[in-house]
Structure formats: structure tokens, C-alpha cells
């Protein structure tokens, strides 16, 4: 489901919400409006109504992203790629690099990474962390502002990562195949593609709320309210940040996002039809913490806690709760086609 805007009169229609003024119920596709809600263009004038682009991560969403994403997936990707590097040289392309949560850890461990994102605010956060955390290794991480749908790079990579549900921004099968085709061109022969799938709670409507102290005197509430459409195989959520400084509420930030609802087996079939074969498919959620207080004397251990789960974090083990799957797939060699 999509939000459409008329480029002339600026009328907007949200397929999730319908249009109460004109009696259109929620869930009605835009093409069904023709001849029913506008006396000017009758909603069927070609080229007049355009879908709004995905909202970039900006403002509070970029500022607080790391605070709630935690360390989810960082250790997994680092350990896996270091094992891969023991067999042959590794070059990594991360789409949706965001604040560099994963990319900086990979570069810190000597791996070459190119991070792509279309949000200047997120890349600014990543650049600051790069300067602070990669002293002497800055050349290992390249940050590029590009839209993943319009990639223009001068080389291929042995590994391409789409973490944190980036692939699900392609909300229909045609767009998903298109994105896989673009990625296919940038993976070396026998290279590997890694995709994280975010699966929302198993409910039609759901909500979560987290809060924490930040910077260090701000209390930030992250609220997520979502709904799932099994019929359309999509889910949508509203993310709200409420910030309090000395108990005084600061301006709120709110954004709505829509993602494809894809089950792991569906993605596996899609990959197999797009020039890849699946080598790994597993729920990638940290369920158990094995830690004894006596271990505190052994020094700093950055992997001691690996929780996170932005933006659908729930208590671990919640029945029917949100989860994350990671699928690895190798590019099929042209010699085997």
C-alpha cells in the first residue's frame, strides 16, 4: 500500500487509511478511486498522481538509531566475515549502512567495507564514528551517499549485506526482483549476499515501547505502533520519539514506514529464481546470556551483551513476538548456468 499525491492540486491518498471525507474505506487500492473522489481530474489523468518516495532517516530517527538498535547482528556479521576472510580476501558492500553500526566493526577488524546510504543525516553519524573509532584504519571504510536503486560503483564485492530489513523496502515482487538484479551485478562470481528479514509480531495490530537515558540527561521514549496486512503481504508502522529534558517535553518526532512482509521460505525461492542459491537460513536473535559475575574481572568484553532489535524490540521469548531471520545466498557462477 502506498501514499499517492497529485502533483497539481496536492491531494493525497493513503491506501492504508482510505479517505473518510469521500467515504473510501481503508485498504482500497489507488486505481479503484477513478471517477469517484475528484471532479477535476476524476483520479484517472495519466501522470498526475505519483507515489510518494520512502521517507529518509533523519532528525531524531538518525540521532537515536544506535541507542535502540543496540548490538543486534554486529557480532554475527563480524564473526562470519572474519571466517570467510581466512579462506580468501573479502570486500564488503553494505546497503543501508546507516550510522555504520556493522560496517565500523568490520573495518575495525581489518575488513574493507563500502557503505551505501541515501540519508545524509545517517551518513554524518557514521562519519563521526569513523573518525573516532577507526584511527589509522580510515581507508578501510568508504561511505557513499547513493540510492540503492541507482547504484553506480566502479567495482564488485565478494560480500553484499542488506541488514535490518533494508530489502523489505521493496514492497512488491517486481521491485524485489529488480533490487536483486541490481545487487547481482555487484557481486563477484561465487560471492555471497546476506539479507536480514524483520518479521513483526504475529498480530494484525501491535505496539512496543522502549525508553532510556541519552546524552545523559535526556529521557527518550521510542514508541512503535504497527499493523499487518496478510492480504497485501505488507506491514506498516508509526515510529514516535518523545524526548524529555529535565522532565520537560521536547518537540516530538514521528514517521511512518511501510515494509514487505516476507517469510524466509519466500525469500529463498525468490533468491533461487534470481541467480543465487541459499546456503544458510536461520532465526538470528540472541536468546540467552551466559555470563558469570566473576567474568567481570577479565576486562572489557564488547560482546557480553548482544541484544537489540530496532525497531520492534520485545522481551526475548515473547510468544508470537517480532523476530529477525538472516539468509545467506551465493551467486551462481556463470560456468554452472
Amino acid at each position: 500500500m502506498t501514499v499517492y499525491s497529485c502533483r497539481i492540486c496536492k491531494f493525497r491518498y493513503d491506501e492504508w487509511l482510505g479517505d473518510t471525507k469521500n467515504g473510501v474505506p481503508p485498504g482500497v487500492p489507488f486505481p479503484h478511486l477513478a471517477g469517484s473522489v475528484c471532479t477535476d481530474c476524476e483520479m484517472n489523468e495519466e501522470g498526475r498522481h505519483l507515489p510518494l518516495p520512502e521517507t529518509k532517516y533523519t532528525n531524531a530517527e538518525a540521532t537515536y538509531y544506535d541507542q535502540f538498535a543496540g548490538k543486534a547482528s554486529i557480532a554475527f556479521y563480524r564473526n562470519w566475515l572474519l571466517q570467510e576472510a581466512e579462506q580468501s580476501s573479502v570486500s564488503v558492500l553494505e546497503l543501508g549502512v546507516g550510522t555504520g553500526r556493522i560496517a565500523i566493526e568490520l573495518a575495525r577488524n581489518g575488513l574493507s567495507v563500502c557503505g551505501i546510504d541515501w540519508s545524509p543525516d545517517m551518513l554524518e553519524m557514521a562519519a563521526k564514528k569513523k573518525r573516532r573509532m577507526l584511527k589509522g584504519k580510515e581507508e578501510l571504510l568508504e561511505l557513499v551517499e547513493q540510492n540503492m536503486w541507482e547504484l553506480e560503483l566502479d567495482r564488485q564485492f565478494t560480500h553484499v549485506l542488506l541488514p535490518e530489513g533494508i530489502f523489505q523496502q521493496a514492497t512488491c515482487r517486481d521491485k524485489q526482483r529488480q533490487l536483486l538484479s541490481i545487487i547481482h551485478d555487484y557481486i563477484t562470481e561465487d560471492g555471497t549476499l546476506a539479507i536480514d528479514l524483520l518479521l513483526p509480531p504475529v498480530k494484525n495490530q501491535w505496539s512496543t515501547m522502549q525508553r532510556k537515558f541519552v546524552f545523559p540527561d535526556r529521557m527518550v521514549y521510542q514508541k512503535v505502533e504497527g499493523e499487518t496486512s496478510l492480504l497485501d503481504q505488507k506491514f506498516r508502522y508509526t515510529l514516535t520519539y518523545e524526548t524529555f529534558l529535565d522532565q520537560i517535553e521536547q518537540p516530538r518526532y514521528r514517521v511512518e514506514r511501510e515494509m514487505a512482509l516476507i517469510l524466509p521460505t519466500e525469500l529463498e525461492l525468490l533468491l533461487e529464481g534470481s541467480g543465487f542459491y541459499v546456503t544458510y537460513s536461520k532465526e538470528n536473535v540472541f536468546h540467552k546470556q551466559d555470563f558469570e559475575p566473576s567474568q567481570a574481572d577479565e576486562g572489557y568484553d564488547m560482546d557480553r551483551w548482544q541484544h537489540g532489535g530496532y525497531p520492534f524490540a520485545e522481551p526475548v521469548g515473547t510468544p508470537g513476538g517480532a523476530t529477525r531471520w538472516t539468509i545467506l545466498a551465493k551467486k551462481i557462477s556463470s560456468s554452472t548456468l
Side-chain angles (χ1 to χ4, degrees), residues 213-219 244-247:
F213 281 109
V214 179
F215 302 143
D217 52 354
R218 295 172 182 262
M219 174 60 77
F244 293 82
L245 178 60
D246 294 330
Q247 289 77 52

Side-chain angles (χ1 to χ4, degrees), residues 92-98 100 103 112-118 123 126 140-146 151 153 155 157:
V92 181
L93 170 64
E94 182 182 349
L95 300 182
V97 68
S112 174
V113 185
C114 176
I116 303 293
D117 207 288
W118 75 325
L123 288 174
L140 291 175
L141 175 57
E142 179 185 5
L143 297 171
V144 180
E145 184 180 341
Q146 276 193 30
L151 279 185
L153 302 173
R155 61 195 185 279
F157 302 84

Side-chain angles (χ1 to χ4, degrees), residues 37 72 98 112 148 171 211 217 229 233 275-276 315:
V37 300
S112 174
M148 65 181 179
T171 55
R211 58 181 177 173
D217 52 354
S229 172
Q233 289 193 281
F276 298 90

Side-chain angles (χ1 to χ4, degrees), residues 57-69:
Y57 287 72
T58 185
N59 202 287
E61 193 173 15
T63 301
Y64 297 137
Y65 188 94
D66 286 2
Q67 302 294 329
F68 294 96

Side-chain angles (χ1 to χ4, degrees), residues 263-304:
L263 297 180
T265 51
E266 292 177 311
L267 178 56
E268 291 171 22
L269 291 172
L270 189 59
L271 286 165
E272 290 170 359
S274 301
F276 298 90
Y277 65 93
V278 176
T279 60
Y280 174 96
S281 179
K282 189 175 181 181
E283 185 182 25
N284 192 11
V285 177
F286 193 76
H287 284 296
K288 186 179 180 182
Q289 181 64 55
D290 295 318
F291 168 67
E292 296 294 333
S294 60
Q295 292 179 253
D297 298 330
E298 299 176 5
Y300 177 72
D301 176 11
M302 70 170 292
D303 293 334
R304 185 173 297 163

Side-chain angles (χ1 to χ4, degrees), residues 146-166:
Q146 276 193 30
N147 188 328
M148 65 181 179
W149 297 99
E150 303 170 356
L151 279 185
E152 292 185 5
L153 302 173
D154 59 1
R155 61 195 185 279
Q156 292 184 313
F157 302 84
T158 62
H159 296 76
V160 177
L161 314 183
L162 281 80
E164 299 297 319
I166 296 300

Side-chain angles (χ1 to χ4, degrees), residues 17-62:
L17 306 179
D19 185 339
T20 53
K21 175 185 176 182
N22 290 293
V24 182
V28 173
F30 177 80
H32 293 187
L33 299 184
S36 65
V37 300
C38 180
T39 58
D40 182 15
C41 65
E42 299 181 354
M43 302 302 289
N44 57 12
E45 186 174 318
E46 185 176 354
R48 177 166 174 163
H49 303 91
L50 303 175
L52 295 180
E54 178 75 12
T55 303
K56 293 184 179 183
Y57 287 72
T58 185
N59 202 287
E61 193 173 15

